[in-house]
Amino acid sequence: MPASEFYQPAPRLDNQYEADSLLRGYLAWRLPAPMLRDVDSELARFGERVVTDIAALGRAAEAQPPRLVPYDPWGRRIDDIVVSDAWRELDRISAVEGLVAIAYERANGDLSRLHQMAKLYLFHPSSSTYSCPLAMGDGAARFLEVYGADDRTRAAFEHLTTRDPAEFWTSGQWMTERTGGSDVSATSTTARPQEPTDAVSGVDCYQLFGTKWFTSATTSQMAIALARIDGAPAGGRGLSAFLIELRDENGALRGIRVNRLKDKLGTRALPTAELTLDGAPGTLVGGAGDGVRKIASMFNVTRVYNAVAAVAGMRRALALARDYATKRIAFGKPLIEQPLHRETLADLDAVARGCFLLAFHAVELLGKEECGTATERDLGVLRLLTPVVKLYTAKHAVRVASEALEAFGGAGYIEDTGIPQLLRDAQVLPIWEGTTNVLSLDVLRAIERTDAWTAWRTDIESRLDAIDESSLAGAVEQIRARIEALARSMQAARDGSTLETNARRIAFAIAHISASARLAEYALWSTTHPAGAHDSAAAADSLTRWLASSS
Ligand code: MFK
């Protein structure tokens, strides 16, 4: 063929469930047979949707970002955030598919979280980050489930967890202000008590005044906001959490002005706004004070979402790069036949696998916590792993996305290939929901203020004890040695008063060891169970590659 007639075939995605040998293997490992049968057929169907109609909606939403219409034609201030039809359709699909509801229906007890997150994992990379309003809606549902005690909060919970698209709500999570992003205790929004009206009698009503600097998914029907009740002390303990229903029955914002929409590097379909609260009515949830501790029940859910979104983005980037490598010919043969390219993809695949198993370990523990089946040790491990999995998977998501772009050469840098979006959308993951350093300090908080370290160490050592396969003995010894080395270096840091400066190294080491153990357990299962045979070679290879790296 003459060179002038050559056109590079574009990468193509297959059914993202059927093509994901690890996801299928993992579910076969973790789920009882009857549940696996149901989930398997549901995900096979959904895995097709995420590369067909849902992917098309995601692209359409990305092409038509939200815009702010501050005034109506006659000069009335309306602050209407106009989103695309595609964005609204993604909301409808999310409700009908039960993307939040599955976790609260609990049809499969504490494994319902795993079912739900497996579905979200398929949905996220196709959804133009519709996963963000879902994450915050889910976090708010958990917060209300734990702390809500009146009709209004119960009604909001029902909206957040329904499958009925006409009733379905998502939520904002309004914590960030000009005075405090990571340092939430510097929140300056105030709450002024109001007499309860007849319609809401028994509910503690307040009016909120202040500025919220970043509010994601501002088209949501409600938000959970932090504010300081007049007269409450300064600092985090003086903050309280409020449920705000954004609009009245005519759709008008209630005591809220949208100052502007943020112009962001990525997540372009997602409306993110800067707001002034000027008497926005809020319902106090969970009593006055200690708002940061209470709202942790919300952001510990959204942090797990973040980790699932990170591993989902990695998997999608690799699926595209791998397909492209079969189609792109250089130096006389497809990229996939070039040893160095193949090796690079295999290394990235090992990173994605370790991160996947790490993230889904937290998902399983979250399910147990929510259903009351977690042991004290599980709770300790979850407390430690939540910041660890968030920070670690987010960092690696950026790295994998960057490498995946590079695997496309120049095409990876060209917007209309759709490939740059992978990197732009990954870059938010280490930032929102707590930056890497802030979460590393949260890891220290968990280690120094709770029993999380002992729980984590006992748990991982007992799981390593159960790996009784001679071919894995070397890997197990290596993991044990790393635990010992970490314990020693932490003690040295404690003795030298350098724990804080070492917080990131400690968090990364915990993540690496946790993922190593999970990879070893999965390798054991996949070599000893027929249902894992399809993935056993990849499981063994990724464990070897993972252990050859140190962070
Ligand atoms: C697709 C995925 C999409 C994901 C959705 C993305 C949407 C984006 C929305 C956002 O990004 S919203 C903004 C997110 N902002 C943050 O996540 C804030 C980051 N900063 C922190 O996490 C700080 O560490 C923190 C605000 C918690 C520090 O506050 P303080 O008040 O200095 O903390 P302090 O005094 O250590 O803790 C207060 C209490 O909370 C303590 O309880 P006790 O008083 O009972 O001891 C802590 O133990 C508890 N606490 C703090 N973090 C906790 C926690 N408890 C459990 N889990 C945690 N993670």
Side-chain angles (χ1 to χ4, degrees):
M1 176 202 308
S4 61
E5 286 175 24
F6 172 77
Y7 294 99
Q8 175 59 46
R12 214 185 128 265
L13 288 170
D14 294 324
N15 180 314
Q16 285 300 285
Y17 176 64
E18 282 166 3
D20 195 328
S21 61
L22 174 60
L23 175 60
R24 287 186 292 111
Y26 179 74
L27 295 176
W29 178 29
R30 307 309 298 168
L31 303 186
M35 179 180 174
L36 178 64
R37 262 195 309 280
D38 291 347
V39 169
D40 181 70
S41 61
E42 179 183 346
L43 294 186
R45 174 188 61 75
F46 198 59
E48 193 59 34
R49 282 198 83 179
V50 299
V51 295
T52 52
D53 64 318
I54 293 176
L57 290 167
R59 282 192 298 273
E62 192 72 9
Q64 199 186 330
R67 66 194 168 83
L68 175 63
V69 179
Y71 296 98
D72 80 358
W74 311 107
R76 281 186 203 87
R77 182 96 192 225
I78 51 169
D79 289 355
D80 192 17
I81 298 172
V82 180
V83 295
S84 61
D85 291 345
W87 187 254
R88 278 196 294 275
E89 179 62 8
L90 287 165
D91 181 80
R92 197 191 65 77
I93 290 172
S94 301
V96 173
E97 291 283 355
L99 289 178
V100 174
I102 291 168
Y104 293 89
E105 290 163 353
R106 300 193 178 133
N108 289 292
D110 57 14
L111 288 170
S112 304
R113 257 294 167 204
L114 176 47
H115 172 194
Q116 176 235 356
M117 285 292 185
K119 213 164 170 184
L120 185 95
Y121 166 84
L122 296 173
F123 179 73
H124 164 76
S126 297
S127 74
S128 201
T129 319
Y130 203 82
S131 41
C132 171
L134 299 182
M136 296 190 300
D138 194 331
R142 182 63 187 150
F143 170 70
L144 295 178
E145 187 175 48
V146 174
Y147 291 106
D150 57 70
D151 289 350
R152 177 171 284 173
T153 51
R154 266 192 294 273
F157 174 82
E158 294 301 324
H159 281 295
L160 292 166
T161 58
T162 181
R163 286 181 188 245
D164 177 354
E167 295 293 323
F168 183 55
W169 285 8
T170 56
S171 177
Q173 178 184 345
W174 295 355
M175 295 164 70
T176 308
E177 303 198 356
R178 287 200 297 262
T179 43
S182 298
D183 183 4
V184 174
S185 64
T187 292
S188 52
T189 295
T190 56
R192 191 177 300 161
Q194 264 196 323
E195 284 302 306
T197 64
D198 284 349
V200 290
S201 97
V203 175
D204 289 327
C205 293
Y206 288 77
Q207 282 189 303
L208 272 62
F209 298 86
T211 304
K212 294 289 176 183
W213 186 239
F214 283 107
T215 61
S216 297
T218 322
T219 41
S220 293
Q221 292 81 354
M222 60 164 274
I224 302 293
L226 286 177
R228 199 176 307 282
I229 295 173
D230 286 348
R237 284 192 184 278
L239 293 172
S240 302
F242 296 86
L243 162 65
I244 298 180
E245 290 177 32
L246 272 63
R247 293 173 187 80
D248 65 18
E249 51 288 353
N250 301 315
L253 286 167
R254 307 196 305 166
I256 299 169
R257 283 195 304 280
V258 182
N259 302 339
R260 56 177 163 164
L261 290 181
K262 300 290 197 182
D263 184 9
K264 294 167 291 172
L265 172 65
T267 66
R268 291 183 180 169
L270 172 71
T272 303
E274 194 184 310
L275 304 178
T276 296
L277 309 186
D278 188 11
T283 303
L284 180 67
V285 186
D290 257 348
V292 172
R293 188 175 55 76
K294 290 169 188 161
I295 211 171
S297 60
M298 175 170 191
F299 62 59
N300 284 338
V301 171
T302 44
R303 286 174 184 175
V304 174
Y305 261 82
N306 207 87
V308 171
V311 293
M314 290 185 221
R315 178 55 55 211
R316 184 60 58 86
L318 284 173
L320 287 163
R322 199 175 293 128
D323 183 70
Y324 188 69
T326 64
K327 293 175 172 155
R328 177 68 179 166
I329 293 171
F331 308 111
K333 51 187 177 183
L335 293 181
I336 201 69
E337 289 173 25
Q338 316 268 357
L340 184 53
H341 194 77
R342 207 171 49 234
E343 181 70 3
T344 305
L345 292 183
D347 277 343
L348 294 174
D349 189 57
V351 171
R353 281 173 165 264
C355 287
F356 174 96
L357 292 172
L358 184 62
F360 275 83
H361 188 191
V363 168
E364 286 186 41
L365 292 170
L366 179 64
K368 287 183 176 186
E369 183 215 27
E370 292 168 332
C371 291
T373 56
T375 61
E376 277 304 306
R377 190 164 91 186
D378 289 334
L379 293 175
V381 177
L382 178 63
R383 176 67 188 93
L384 187 64
L385 279 192
T386 302
V388 162
V389 302
K390 192 282 185 184
L391 73 91
Y392 190 81
T393 57
K395 271 294 192 228
H396 282 291
V398 178
R399 182 183 145 216
V400 170
S402 171
E403 285 278 4
L405 256 69
E406 193 175 332
F408 284 88
Y413 203 63
I414 300 303
E415 279 291 348
D416 65 2
T417 62
I419 306 297
Q421 190 190 341
L422 294 168
L423 182 59
R424 289 193 276 100
D425 288 354
Q427 186 60 69
V428 77
L429 298 172
I431 297 174
W432 65 14
E433 292 300 335
T435 61
T436 309
N437 280 358
V438 165
L439 291 178
S440 298
L441 295 174
D442 190 46
V443 171
L444 284 192
R445 186 190 280 112
I447 291 173
E448 297 300 290
R449 291 197 206 167
T450 74
D451 289 338
W453 168 263
T454 310
W456 176 78
R457 187 166 178 173
T458 317
D459 182 67
I460 206 158
E461 286 179 337
S462 69
R463 289 193 289 112
L464 291 174
D465 286 345
I467 301 178
D468 54 356
E469 161 67 39
S470 58
S471 63
L472 292 168
V476 168
E477 273 325 294
Q478 215 176 320
I479 300 166
R480 284 191 201 287
R482 287 187 179 179
I483 298 171
E484 235 353 281
L486 172 61
R488 274 198 309 276
S489 67
M490 274 173 51
Q491 193 50 50
R494 210 173 271 120
D495 294 344
S497 303
T498 57
L499 263 184
E500 188 168 331
T501 44
N502 281 291
R504 221 188 233 244
R505 276 185 279 274
I506 292 167
F508 271 65
I510 293 171
H512 194 271
I513 292 166
S514 303
S516 305
R518 216 62 183 155
L519 282 162
E521 289 182 283
Y522 180 65
L524 173 67
W525 175 81
S526 64
T527 48
T528 49
H529 285 79
H534 73 280
D535 206 32
S536 61
D541 179 65
S542 55
L543 174 62
T544 307
R545 287 174 190 276
W546 186 269
L547 290 175
S549 76
S550 58
S551 61

